[in-house]
Structure formats: C-alpha cells, structure tokens
C-alpha cells in the first residue's frame, strides 16, 4: 500500500493576488493552517524523496494561499519570514472564534484583539513557522 499523498486535480486560484510562502515543512504547515485557520487544501504535488513539496494550494476565508518547501539546490534557500503580515478580514461576529481557534492551534499572540484607532478590532499573532498573521473586523454595532 502506498501511504504517500497523491496529487489532487488542479484547483482554481481565487483572487487577483496570491501570497506564496516558502516554509520549512510545507505539509506540516498545511495541516497547521487547516487546524488554525480552517484552510482547505485543494491541490498539492506529492513529496519528493526528502519529504518536500514544491507546491500546495490552500483556500482560507475565500482566498488562495500557496506554500512550498525550500529548495536551496534551485535557488530557494531557507530564510526567516520577515517584513509581511498575512491579514484576514473577517466579520464582527466571526473574529473571536477565528482568533481563538488559531491560538488554540498553537499561534502565539503578539498583539491582542482590540479596537484600533481606525475603528476596527485588530490583533496580531505568529504561527509556529514564523509567519505573522493579523485579523481585522468591524466593531459590532451595539
């Protein structure tokens, strides 16, 4: 029996700009994003002999996110994520549940959810792969 993941049919890309993250352990990151952010894995290439994949296509909150492992032999050397934040725009009734699910899955709170100067609730966290995530939602009307 072959226990390696099999390639899925290609999936449609959602949105006009697609973040593409290179991470150490893309399959583990995909599993984590499914747990933390309700991601749906819609396509991937099977792992190579070292357990790496060149491509995983996820959907999170109606958008596409693509991830892969590092491939130093092809000019994609490991680097620490820096200078960007993945931001989820949510509804006022959704943000608390999304926030708690991510924290429970293992994200580290950097800045707690709070009403910001622009009038929305916003907070920031870091996932176990070093990627910064923020959540933003309008303040619920009283």
């Amino acid at each position: 029996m072959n226990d390696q993941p099999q390639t899925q049919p290609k999936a449609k890309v959602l949105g006009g700009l697609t973040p593409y993250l290179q991470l150490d352990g893309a399959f583990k990151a995909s599993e984590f994003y499914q747990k933390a952010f309700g991601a749906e894995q819609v396509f991937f290439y099977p792992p190579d002999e070292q357990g790496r994949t060149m491509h995983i296509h996820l959907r999170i909150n109606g958008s596409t996110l693509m991830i892969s492992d590092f491939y130093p032999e092809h000019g994609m050397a490991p680097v620490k994520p820096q200078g960007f934040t993945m931001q989820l725009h949510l509804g006022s009734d959704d943000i608390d549940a999304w926030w708690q699910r991510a924290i429970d899955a293992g994200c580290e709170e950097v800045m707690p959810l709070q009403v910001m100067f622009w009038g929305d609730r916003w907070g920031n966290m870091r996932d176990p792969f070093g990627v910064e995530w923020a959540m933003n939602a309008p303040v619920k009307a009283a």
Side-chain angles (χ1 to χ4, degrees):
M1 184 169 116
N2 183 356
D3 60 352
Q4 293 291 329
Q6 300 301 308
T7 303
Q8 299 167 306
K10 290 193 177 185
K12 181 179 178 181
V13 175
L14 303 177
L17 177 65
T18 303
Y20 206 117
L21 303 175
Q22 293 172 333
L23 304 166
D24 185 18
F27 280 116
K28 288 182 181 178
S30 175
E31 289 173 9
F32 180 80
Y33 294 156
Q34 290 173 57
K35 184 177 177 183
F37 303 114
E40 174 190 7
Q41 182 175 284
V42 295
F43 180 81
F44 66 89
Y45 285 111
D48 65 12
E49 58 282 347
Q50 296 174 0
R52 304 173 303 178
T53 183
M54 63 177 279
H55 181 72
I56 297 176
H57 181 159
L58 302 171
R59 291 194 177 136
I60 300 175
N61 193 33
S63 295
T64 291
L65 171 65
M66 296 184 181
I67 59 177
S68 73
D69 282 286
F70 294 112
Y71 283 85
E73 68 273 24
H74 297 292
M76 296 167 40
V79 293
K80 181 180 176 185
Q82 59 184 3
F84 66 90
T85 301
M86 306 297 293
Q87 179 142 321
L88 293 164
H89 295 273
L90 304 164
S92 59
D93 291 333
D94 301 328
I95 193 166
D96 292 304
W98 277 73
W99 183 267
Q100 195 58 53
R101 178 177 59 192
I103 295 297
D104 290 347
C107 285
E108 172 192 354
E109 185 175 83
V110 175
M111 179 177 262
L113 279 176
Q114 58 191 291
V115 177
M116 300 303 288
F117 65 89
W118 61 86
D120 290 344
R121 288 182 70 210
W122 184 90
N124 175 276
M125 60 183 63
R126 185 176 302 108
D127 74 26
F129 302 91
V131 177
E132 298 282 328
W133 293 80
M135 295 185 189
N136 191 86
V139 174
K140 188 185 286 191

